[in-house]
Amino acid sequence: MQELIERIRREGRNLGGGILKVDGFINHQVDPALMDACGRELARRFASVGATKILTAEISGIAPALTTAMHMGLPVVYARKHKPITMPDQVFLTLSPSHTKGRMVELIVSPEYLAGGERVLIIDDFLATGATILGLARLAQTAGAVIVGVGTLIEKSFEGGRAALAHLNIPIESLACIVSMDGEQIVFA
Amino acid sequence: MQELIERIRREGRNLGGGILKVDGFINHQVDPALMDACGRELARRFASVGATKILTAEISGIAPALTTAMHMGLPVVYARKHKPITMPDQVFLTLSPSHTKGRMVELIVSPEYLAGGERVLIIDDFLATGATILGLARLAQTAGAVIVGVGTLIEKSFEGGRAALAHLNIPIESLACIVSMDGEQIVFA
């Protein structure tokens, strides 16, 4: 999506080690008009997959998942990383490695909001190694739901996430695909 | 706001100890149409305060702050509870007691996105004791910003948050005000 790519070119920063800083419009400060446009575009790309629910992971998945959900007219569930006291004792839980935190994090969804037979569209901010998205996919599969697609704002194709998700046999869409971040460069596909 | 109040009446659950479960449409699963309507209404109520930025706290503040920001055409910043590696070493940080977690949590904002002279509208899901909102207000004040209003989806007036914020001398709006949660009841103002 040209609007997102231009914004990353203008304001994104390559911090080295594959770390892309987009804190000014996605991860800490959010530009709501841009996020709305991204949600509209993801909704357009997944219009025909028959999704019944959108699934994402807190924290930075919430904004793109919400705007996509608004344009698709679907509920969105965000997996929690800490079980809140309002959640039942019996939950769907999986562990997922966080490469920005350097440790495993929990992804938790209540069975109240992820049921067998749902057709789940997974939305997140980044597709990097695919670890978080694979964690969300395991949660959905454990619930007996069908995964119908994966959509992300930014793909770092050099981290191999698309290959890691290939066995899911579902459409994978990213709005901006970065093929290399050598030196200080940010090279788009 | 009648639509939100009706939804809480229908699907909210009083878990005792002042804990209101709204996980089915606000805190874990989000109803995007309802959240959009709440954002539109908060934007309407704060249309004349001259806000230049919306400030909230991750995690569950993100959705209402984002929809409010969309309707006001303003950027939104969410305070982080853990400093990400993309954030500079020098940050605005305050501690805030979390009554759902039973401990202090950090609220962190990068000086890149909260500057002196900004007119900050604070948005969150709940106004309970006011502790989180006071933490956000301290961050804004430390940055040299002016706080122009506080808007929340749900106020639990019996927890005293409005009084705790009174010294800020700013408009405080909540879309659904609960005055009592004795027994299994949820009593609206």
Side-chain angles (χ1 to χ4, degrees):
Chain A
M1 196 178 85
Q2 206 51 37
E3 185 180 348
L4 178 60
I5 292 170
E6 293 300 332
R7 189 66 172 268
I8 298 167
R9 276 195 214 282
R10 223 166 44 234
E11 296 181 34
R13 275 187 53 212
N14 179 348
L15 300 185
I19 304 295
L20 177 66
K21 174 170 169 154
V22 287
D23 285 5
F25 49 105
I26 292 177
N27 283 140
H28 180 29
Q29 179 167 260
V30 179
D31 175 338
L34 175 67
M35 200 57 83
D36 187 48
C38 291
R40 183 183 296 114
E41 176 62 15
L42 286 169
R44 189 187 68 76
R45 295 195 190 186
F46 290 105
S48 62
V49 298
T52 60
K53 190 160 285 190
I54 290 175
L55 180 64
T56 189
E58 68 180 30
I59 300 159
S60 48
I62 295 175
L66 179 61
T67 55
T68 305
M70 289 169 75
H71 287 285
M72 297 186 82
L74 296 176
V76 53
V77 172
Y78 53 92
R80 309 295 310 243
K81 290 178 182 166
H82 302 276
K83 186 175 167 298
I85 49 179
T86 49
M87 207 180 265
D89 292 335
Q90 192 79 14
V91 297
F92 299 126
L93 184 152
T94 192
L95 291 172
S96 170
S98 167
H99 69 299
T100 49
K101 289 184 182 166
R103 59 177 172 84
M104 302 297 277
V105 296
E106 294 184 343
L107 294 174
I108 308 168
V109 169
S110 169
E112 300 164 293
Y113 311 117
L114 194 57
E118 297 260 30
R119 294 176 60 83
V120 171
L121 172 61
I122 296 174
I123 299 287
D124 207 355
D125 56 342
F126 275 94
L127 172 57
T129 65
T132 302
I133 290 167
L134 283 172
L136 293 172
R138 285 193 301 276
L139 290 175
Q141 287 166 334
T142 305
V146 176
I147 304 151
V148 297
V150 169
T152 69
L153 301 181
I154 303 171
E155 178 176 358
K156 295 190 286 184
S157 66
F158 56 93
E159 293 189 1
R162 193 172 281 263
L165 302 177
H167 68 281
L168 295 174
N169 268 310
I170 48 166
I172 300 170
E173 296 279 349
S174 57
L175 301 185
C177 182
I178 296 170
V179 295
S180 162
M181 289 177 58
D182 293 337
E184 292 186 357
Q185 291 189 99
I186 301 173
V187 183
F188 292 89
Chain B
M1 195 178 84
Q2 206 53 35
E3 185 181 349
L4 178 61
I5 292 170
E6 293 298 333
R7 189 66 171 268
I8 298 167
R9 275 195 215 281
R10 224 166 44 234
E11 295 180 34
R13 275 186 54 210
N14 178 349
L15 300 185
I19 304 295
L20 177 66
K21 174 170 171 155
V22 287
D23 285 5
F25 50 105
I26 292 177
N27 282 140
H28 180 28
Q29 179 167 259
V30 179
D31 175 338
L34 175 68
M35 200 57 83
D36 186 49
C38 290
R40 183 182 296 113
E41 175 63 14
L42 286 169
R44 190 187 67 78
R45 294 195 190 184
F46 290 105
S48 62
V49 298
T52 60
K53 190 159 284 190
I54 290 176
L55 179 64
T56 190
E58 68 179 30
I59 301 160
S60 48
I62 295 175
L66 178 60
T67 56
T68 305
M70 289 169 75
H71 287 284
M72 297 185 82
L74 296 176
V76 54
V77 172
Y78 53 92
R80 309 295 311 243
K81 291 178 182 167
H82 302 277
K83 186 175 167 300
I85 49 180
T86 50
M87 206 180 264
D89 292 336
Q90 192 78 14
V91 297
F92 299 126
L93 184 152
T94 192
L95 290 172
S96 170
S98 167
H99 68 299
T100 49
K101 290 184 181 163
R103 59 177 173 82
M104 301 298 276
V105 296
E106 293 184 344
L107 294 173
I108 308 168
V109 170
S110 168
E112 299 163 294
Y113 311 117
L114 194 57
E118 297 259 31
R119 294 176 60 82
V120 171
L121 172 61
I122 296 173
I123 299 287
D124 207 355
D125 57 342
F126 275 93
L127 173 56
T129 65
T132 302
I133 291 167
L134 282 171
L136 293 171
R138 285 194 300 277
L139 290 175
Q141 287 166 334
T142 305
V146 177
I147 304 151
V148 297
V150 170
T152 69
L153 301 180
I154 303 172
E155 178 176 358
K156 295 190 286 185
S157 66
F158 55 93
E159 293 189 1
R162 192 171 282 264
L165 302 176
H167 68 280
L168 295 174
N169 268 311
I170 49 166
I172 300 170
E173 296 279 349
S174 56
L175 302 185
C177 183
I178 296 170
V179 295
S180 162
M181 289 177 59
D182 292 339
E184 293 185 356
Q185 291 191 100
I186 301 171
V187 183
F188 291 88

